[in-house]
Amino acid sequence: MTFKVSKSKVARFLVASVAVSAVGLSSANVASAAKLGDKCKLKDAYKIQKVGTKYIRCQIVPGTSLHSKDKKKAAKFAWRATTARQYVLANANNETIRIDGSSTVYPMSAVAAKYFETASKSVKKSKGAKVTVGFSGTGGGFEKFCRGETDISNASKAISSSQKAACEKAGIAYTEILIANDGLAVVTNPSNDWATCLTMAELKKIWNLGSTVKKWSDVRAGFPDTPIKLFGAGTDSGTFESFTELVNGKGKVVRKDGVQTSEDDNVTVAGVNGDKGAMGYFGLSYAVENSKKVKLVQIDKGAGCVTPSNATVQGGTYPLSRPLFTYVKNASLSTKPAVGAYISFWVDNLKQISADAIFVPLTNAQQKILAKNVASLAKVPRVKGIKK
Amino acid sequence: MNVNADVVGSRFAPNLRDSTSTARKSRDKIFLLVLWFATLCAVLTLFFLILTTLLKGAGRLNLSLVTNFPSPFPEDAGIQSAIFGSLWVVITSGFASLFIGLGSAIYLEEFANSTSRITRLITLNIQTLAGVPSIVFGILGLAFVARGWLGWGFSVGTASAVLTMMVLPVVVVSSREALKAVPPSLREGSYALGATKWQTIRKQVIPAAVPGIATGSILGVSRALGESAPLILLGALAYVSSNPSGFGSDYTVLPLIIMKFTQDAQDEFRAVGAAAIIVLLVLLVSLNLLAIVIRDRSRKSW
C-alpha cells in the first residue's frame, strides 16, 4: 500500500515535469507597432518590421556599446531604417543551421546567430530559422564538418592538409570565408615592469622546444632573476597552433617543461595575475576584457615595438596576428536556403557583429573582397513582391 | 586464578582497572575531535563553495535566467534550453536505466544460477563498468550511437542512450543489493501460501526492495545530471535557442552551459554561470529529496 502511494507520487511528478517541458516557458513574441526612432531592447536586437513601404530594424545606437565600462555609453537600442535586402535575408525558412568549431570564433558566431534568429523570427509568423553553435575547437569542428554533420565550421586557423584530405575523401566541398582578424596577446603580471616589449627572438627563446629559460634574467641581460612561469593554451586549440607557428616557426612545437596548459583562458588570466614572473598568451579580445588583471606586452619583429590593438592587427604591423575563418559546406548552400541567407546576413552586418563580439573587424579592402565572394556564392531567398 | 584473569583482561578485554582513569577518557575525546575535524573539513569546503557561488550568482538569480535562452550577451543570457535539455536527457535515461537495470537485477538475483561461470562473469563485468570513467562511455556512444550502425546523430536520443549505459551498472548493483536485503522468510511465506515465483517477486520482493532500488537509481540519475564529459563528445551545444521537442532534437545541458559561461572572458558571464550552478544544485537537491521521500514512505520493518 505504501508503495502504491509513492509510485503514484513519482508518476505525478514526472508527468508534471514532462508537461512543463512540453509547454515551455518562452514568452510570446511581442509584435507591437514600432516607429522609426522608437526605443527597443537588446532582446529584440535585429528584429525587422515593415512600416508602410519602409523597413525598420532594432539596432544599437551608434556611439554606444554593449561592452562599454562607461555608463553613459552603455548600449541603447532603437528602431532604425534598414533595407529591403535585410528583410529578404531574414526571411529564412524553418530550417536548422548547424555550426561548430573554434571556441575563439564562437562568440562572433553566436552573436551573428542570435541576430539572425531574431531577424528571421520577426519576418513571418513561422518559426524562422534556427541556428545552433557548438565549441568543440577548430580540429573537432572539422572532424564533424568533413563527415557532413555540420553546415558551417568555424576555424581560428586555415584548414590543414590532413583536414582537407578528410573532407575530400568524404566528398564535402566547401568555401572558405575570412571573417575577422585576430591578434594573439602576450600578457604578463601587472607588476612586471621590466618586460614591456619583447622581441620575437626572445619569445622564441622562452617558448621553443628545448628552451632552458627558467628566470627572466635568462631572457635578456638586465632583467631581474625572477623565476618565469608559463601559461599556455590547450594543445587542441587553434590558439596554441597559431602561437607556436608564429613564435617557434612550426605549429604545435613548444617546450616540454614548465608550461601549464589550459583550455580555459580564465585559468591563464588567474595564473598570470597571481604570479609576478608569469607569462601567458590568448586572443586579443580576451586580453582587452581582462586588462586590469594582466598587462599586454608590446612585440618587436625588427620594426620597433608594436602594441597589440585593432589598428595594428588590421594593418598587419603587429607580428602575432592571424586571420579567423568560417567554412561553409557548398551542398548546404544549395539545399538549405537559410545557410546562404545566414552567411549573407553575417557579411552584411559584419562591422556591428564584430564590434558586439569584441573582434578585430576586417579592413575595408578585406570586406570588399569578402562581399564580392559571398555575393557569388549565396542565393538570397526571395519573398513575393520584393525585389533585391 | 586471580593472576590468570588479570592476564586475559590486559590482553583481550578493556583494562577495567583503568576504567576510571582520565587517560582513557581523554583518548576518547581526542578521537571524537579528530572525527569532528574530518566532518568539519568536508562541510566547510562545501559551505565555502556554495557561499562563493551564491555571492557571485545572486545578482543574476532571477526569473529571466530560466526564461531566457543562451545568448552571447550576459545581460539577456539564460539557461532555459539547458534546463529542459537536462530534464529530457535525465528523465528518459532514468526511466530506461531503471527498467533495464531492475530487470537485469531481478534476473541475476532471483533466477540466475549464482554459481555458474557466466553469471559470475556478468557480475564482474557490471561491477567493472560501474567504475569506468564517463568519457569512455562518451567515446563508445560517439562510435556506435551517434555514428556507426545506429547513427542517431548528435541528438537528445544519443545523449540519453549513453547516459543510460553510464548509469545502468550503478542501478543494477544497487538494485541487486536491495533485492538481496529482502528477508528470505518473506519469500518462503509467499511460497507457502502457494504463490508462484513471479507472484512472489512482483507482490512481495520488489515492494520490499523499493527503498534501496529508488535510492540507488536516483543517485545514479543525479550523477547523470551533473555529467558533462561524455556530452561534449556527443555534440551538446552552447548556443541553442529552443527547447528539445523530441529524441532527434539538438540540445544542450546544464553542466555544459555552465562550463561555457564560466570560461567566458566577461565577468558578467561568470555571474550567469554561478547562477546556473545554483539552479543545477537546486535540481540535484530536489532529486535527492525525492529519493529520501520515496525511501521513507515505502520503508517497512519486519
Side-chain angles (χ1 to χ4, degrees):
Chain A
M1 193 57 212
T2 40
F3 172 59
K4 268 186 184 163
V5 171
S6 57
K7 188 172 76 175
S8 66
K9 285 230 162 179
V10 177
R12 233 182 290 154
F13 166 78
L14 289 167
V15 166
S17 27
V18 169
V20 170
S21 101
V23 173
L25 290 168
S26 64
S27 51
N29 272 351
V30 189
S32 57
K35 290 197 306 287
L36 192 68
D38 278 2
K39 275 184 191 167
C40 52
K41 286 182 176 166
L42 169 63
K43 186 169 65 99
D44 298 325
Y46 280 68
K47 193 175 261 185
I48 292 185
Q49 286 189 6
K50 196 178 176 188
V51 179
T53 53
K54 302 272 195 212
Y55 298 93
I56 57 170
R57 183 165 74 174
C58 178
Q59 261 174 280
I60 196 162
V61 174
T64 67
S65 160
L66 280 161
H67 308 285
S68 173
K69 304 277 183 232
D70 180 2
K71 278 198 173 168
K72 281 179 191 164
K73 287 182 184 170
K76 280 184 202 134
F77 291 84
W79 291 98
R80 304 178 66 79
T82 188
T83 56
R85 177 181 156 84
Q86 291 303 317
Y87 186 80
V88 178
L89 277 181
N91 184 49
N93 296 325
N94 191 6
E95 283 164 354
T96 301
I97 305 170
R98 283 166 216 275
I99 306 175
D100 206 338
S102 164
S103 55
T104 308
V105 187
Y106 169 83
M108 194 181 187
S109 204
V111 169
K114 184 183 164 60
Y115 287 164
F116 182 66
E117 279 190 341
T118 314
S120 167
K121 274 172 197 157
S122 66
V123 167
K124 267 190 172 177
K125 279 186 179 170
S126 72
K127 278 185 179 171
K130 191 177 140 190
V131 188
T132 63
V133 192
F135 59 106
S136 41
T138 303
F142 276 128
E143 206 253 338
K144 287 180 187 160
F145 184 71
C146 293
R147 283 168 178 268
E149 291 166 349
T150 52
D151 300 309
I152 294 172
S153 204
N154 296 323
S156 61
K157 186 147 194 334
I159 189 166
S160 72
S161 51
S162 61
Q163 287 158 346
K164 252 183 208 171
C167 269
E168 242 163 58
K169 204 175 157 196
I172 307 278
Y174 56 85
T175 309
E176 179 184 279
I177 296 170
L178 172 69
I179 210 72
N181 297 302
D182 189 27
L184 286 170
V186 175
V187 295
T188 58
N189 190 279
S191 61
N192 177 331
D193 53 3
W194 58 90
T196 46
C197 177
L198 292 171
T199 66
M200 288 296 279
E202 283 165 346
L203 279 181
K204 187 171 180 177
K205 198 172 164 190
I206 297 170
W207 289 95
N208 206 2
L209 187 68
S211 164
T212 54
V213 172
K214 289 222 162 67
K215 289 175 291 187
W216 278 96
S217 52
D218 298 338
V219 180
R220 191 191 294 174
F223 279 178
D225 61 354
T226 315
I228 198 165
K229 208 171 169 191
L230 300 174
F231 292 87
T235 50
D236 213 22
S237 69
T239 305
F240 169 73
E241 222 180 314
S242 304
F243 184 80
T244 46
E245 193 172 295
L246 287 165
V247 170
N248 298 338
K250 206 173 167 197
K252 298 199 171 190
V253 168
V254 75
R255 65 185 289 174
K256 287 207 165 81
D257 60 317
V259 185
Q260 194 183 325
T261 57
S262 170
E263 294 286 347
D264 183 356
D265 289 342
N266 279 326
V267 174
T268 307
V269 170
V272 172
N273 185 253
D275 192 305
K276 200 181 176 189
M279 180 191 219
Y281 63 87
F282 38 64
L284 181 57
S285 60
Y286 219 93
V288 173
E289 276 287 320
N290 290 288
S291 55
K292 277 184 188 155
K293 293 178 190 159
V294 293
K295 199 176 98 182
L296 284 168
V297 178
Q298 298 177 330
I299 308 292
D300 180 3
K301 204 185 183 179
C305 295
V306 184
T307 313
S309 71
N310 278 11
T312 54
V313 169
Q314 280 185 330
T317 51
Y318 182 66
L320 297 177
S321 301
R322 61 171 172 172
L324 299 178
F325 299 99
T326 196
Y327 289 79
V328 192
K329 185 162 88 176
N330 290 351
S332 296
L333 285 169
S334 49
T335 56
K336 287 185 185 176
V339 175
Y342 170 75
I343 292 291
S344 307
F345 177 88
W346 192 351
V347 171
D348 276 1
N349 302 291
L350 196 60
K351 278 226 162 83
Q352 191 58 51
I353 290 169
S354 306
D356 291 349
I358 338 180
F359 273 58
V360 183
L362 294 181
T363 61
N364 286 338
Q366 284 174 320
Q367 179 132 22
K368 259 183 201 161
I369 298 169
L370 172 62
K372 211 167 124 192
N373 289 345
V374 171
S376 65
L377 159 151
K379 275 187 212 142
V380 176
R382 285 170 175 282
V383 179
K384 267 184 197 166
I386 297 175
K387 280 173 192 164
K388 243 209 294 181
Chain B
M1 197 59 197
N2 201 0
V3 175
N4 209 356
D6 215 351
V7 169
V8 170
S10 65
R11 264 199 201 164
F12 305 108
N15 196 339
L16 292 177
R17 254 193 302 177
D18 245 6
S19 64
T20 50
S21 75
T22 47
R24 257 181 75 243
K25 287 203 167 165
S26 61
R27 245 177 285 155
D28 194 48
K29 272 187 183 154
I30 290 170
F31 184 63
L32 193 68
L33 271 178
V34 169
L35 289 185
W36 262 104
F37 179 73
T39 317
L40 206 67
C41 276
V43 173
L44 271 186
T45 317
L46 186 68
F47 180 74
F48 180 73
L49 271 175
I50 292 179
L51 190 73
T52 46
T53 313
L54 266 175
L55 284 177
K56 220 173 173 186
R60 274 310 309 267
L61 206 60
N62 47 26
L63 198 65
S64 72
L65 180 76
V66 290
T67 54
N68 284 8
F69 287 102
S71 158
F73 308 116
E75 296 90 325
D76 71 337
I79 53 170
Q80 195 192 136
S81 50
I83 292 176
F84 283 110
S86 275
L87 284 180
W88 259 93
V89 169
V90 162
I91 290 175
T92 51
S93 64
F95 270 118
S97 56
L98 186 65
F99 188 71
I100 306 173
L102 186 57
S104 34
I106 290 172
Y107 170 75
L108 288 172
E109 204 51 51
E110 307 286 336
F111 292 95
N113 175 6
S114 62
T115 51
S116 86
R117 278 190 173 204
I118 293 176
T119 315
R120 270 155 61 201
L121 190 72
I122 291 174
T123 309
L124 181 73
N125 259 311
I126 291 172
Q127 275 160 359
T128 315
L129 277 179
V132 167
S134 56
I135 190 77
V136 176
F137 287 103
I139 296 167
L140 184 82
L142 181 69
F144 294 107
V145 186
R147 292 167 182 162
W149 54 270
L150 273 180
W152 288 357
F154 300 110
S155 60
V156 171
T158 305
S160 168
V162 170
L163 288 185
T164 304
M165 286 194 257
M166 200 189 80
V167 173
L168 203 52
V170 182
V171 176
V172 175
V173 171
S174 61
S175 301
R176 279 192 73 177
E177 290 305 320
L179 292 173
K180 217 180 270 177
V182 175
S185 57
L186 204 70
R187 292 192 179 85
E188 284 154 10
S190 179
Y191 290 139
L193 291 171
T196 62
K197 189 159 193 177
W198 173 234
Q199 281 172 328
T200 304
I201 291 171
R202 195 163 63 96
K203 300 243 166 111
Q204 299 300 329
V205 179
I206 296 182
V210 162
I213 295 169
T215 314
S217 21
I218 290 184
L219 285 182
V221 164
S222 307
R223 185 184 160 198
L225 184 61
E227 198 58 67
S228 66
L231 299 182
I232 293 176
L233 272 181
L234 298 171
L237 299 148
Y239 180 88
V240 196
S241 59
S242 62
N243 295 329
S245 55
F247 281 114
S249 294
D250 301 298
Y251 70 104
T252 187
V253 287
L254 275 171
L256 209 91
I257 210 92
I258 289 170
M259 181 179 132
K260 187 70 212 164
F261 283 158
T262 49
Q263 283 186 2
D264 202 276
Q266 291 168 259
D267 265 331
E268 295 88 339
F269 255 125
R270 277 170 251 162
V272 184
I277 290 174
I278 296 167
V279 174
L280 180 63
L281 279 177
V282 169
L283 276 178
L284 271 172
V285 169
S286 33
L287 261 183
N288 287 341
L289 276 180
L290 185 73
I292 293 171
V293 168
I294 292 178
R295 199 180 58 201
D296 288 351
R297 288 244 169 166
S298 49
R299 182 174 280 158
K300 275 184 185 174
S301 52
W302 294 287

